[in-house]
Amino acid sequence: MTAKRVLTALAATAAASLTVTATAATTSTAAPARPAACGAGYVGLTFDDGPSGNTTKLLDALRQNGLRATMFNQGQYAAANPSLVRAQVTAGMWVANHSYTHPHLTRLSQAQIDSEISRTQQAIANAGGGTPKLFRPPYGETNATVKSVAARYGLTEIIWHVDSQDWNGASTESIVQSVARLTNGQIILMHDWPANTMAAVPRIAQTLASRGLCAGTISPQTGRAVAP
C-alpha cells in the first residue's frame, strides 16, 4: 500500500471514530424521562396531622423501605415539636401546611383563616422545615376564601384522589389496597398517627414496586405527583 493510501485509510478510521464518539455523547445526554423502576410514573404519599409521638417510627419505616412522602403538618404540633419537623426533612420528606389547629376553615372568617395558615407557615419555617409550598385544608373542606388566602401565601391547595380511610379505623390490608388503586400523578390521604398505617408501609413499598410506580413529590404547579 502506498503512503498516500495509508494516510487516506487512517483519515477514514479517525473520522469514523469521531462519529461514534459524537453519537455516544449525544445519546448519553438524552436521559430517559423517568428511571426504569418508575416506568408507570409517580404517586404522592401524604401523611396528615403530624408531627406526633408516632412520627419517628413512621419516618424510620418510610426510610427503610425507600419511600418519600409529603407531611402535612399541623402548625401547633410543629411549634411544639420542632425537632420532629427537622427529622422529617432529614429523612427526605417534604413538609407542608395543614392549618394550625385543624378547624373547619369554611366556617371561619377570612381573618381567622389567614391566622391558621400564616401561623403554620411560620411555625414550620421556625422549626427548620422550610417555607411550605403546599396546603391541605382540614377535612378537605375549601371554598373561594380559603383558596384565596392560601394563594396569598404562595400555597397550592392539595386535596387527594384516594382516601385510605386510615383515620376511620381501616385495616392494614385495606390501606394497602387503597394504595394499589393509585395511578400516575395521583395522591393518597394517610395520617401520621394510625398504627395500621405504619404497619402497611413495607407492603405499600412492595405494591408500588410491583406496579412500576415510585413515591414522588407533589408539584406546586400542577398539584400532581411528579419525579423528585
Side-chain angles (χ1 to χ4, degrees):
M1 182 181 290
T2 65
K4 184 176 181 181
R5 288 180 179 177
V6 171
L7 290 173
T8 301
L10 288 173
T13 301
S17 176
L18 286 172
T19 300
V20 170
T21 301
T23 301
T26 302
T27 302
S28 67
T29 57
R34 56 173 68 109
C38 310
Y42 295 86
V43 297
L45 305 180
T46 67
F47 294 88
D48 287 12
D49 295 348
S52 72
N54 194 54
T55 298
T56 299
K57 292 181 179 178
L58 176 61
L59 293 176
D60 287 344
L62 290 169
R63 189 162 42 188
Q64 287 166 11
N65 287 277
L67 297 176
R68 299 178 73 185
T70 301
M71 319 302 282
F72 283 96
N73 287 342
Q74 288 188 40
Q76 60 181 338
Y77 299 145
N81 303 284
S83 64
L84 292 179
V85 176
R86 290 192 294 273
Q88 291 172 334
V89 174
T90 299
M93 308 304 153
W94 301 283
V95 181
N97 185 321
H98 192 42
S99 81
Y100 202 84
T101 63
H102 208 275
H104 294 276
L105 291 177
T106 55
R107 303 176 188 175
L108 302 184
S109 68
Q110 182 170 321
Q112 290 172 317
I113 295 169
D114 190 290
S115 176
E116 284 285 330
I117 292 176
S118 64
R119 284 192 297 158
T120 303
Q121 289 292 90
Q122 193 63 54
I124 289 174
N126 288 347
T131 300
K133 299 297 183 186
L134 306 177
F135 168 68
R136 173 171 286 161
Y139 314 103
E141 297 172 349
T142 189
N143 58 24
T145 304
V146 173
K147 290 178 185 292
S148 68
V149 174
R152 187 183 308 154
Y153 289 95
L155 292 162
T156 300
E157 188 177 86
I158 304 295
I159 308 297
W160 55 81
H161 299 93
V162 176
D163 181 351
S164 71
Q165 291 284 313
D166 64 346
W167 55 272
N168 197 29
S171 67
T172 295
E173 175 65 29
S174 178
I175 294 167
V176 173
Q177 289 305 312
S178 294
V179 171
R181 300 204 306 271
L182 292 170
T183 58
N184 181 38
Q186 290 191 331
I187 296 164
I188 185 168
L189 168 68
M190 294 181 284
H191 290 77
D192 174 276
W193 48 268
N196 287 345
T197 302
M198 190 171 67
V201 170
R203 291 180 58 195
I204 288 173
Q206 294 166 4
T207 297
L208 294 179
S210 70
R211 300 182 58 223
L213 291 166
C214 290
T217 189
I218 299 174
S219 167
Q221 287 71 44
T222 66
R224 294 178 64 82
V226 296

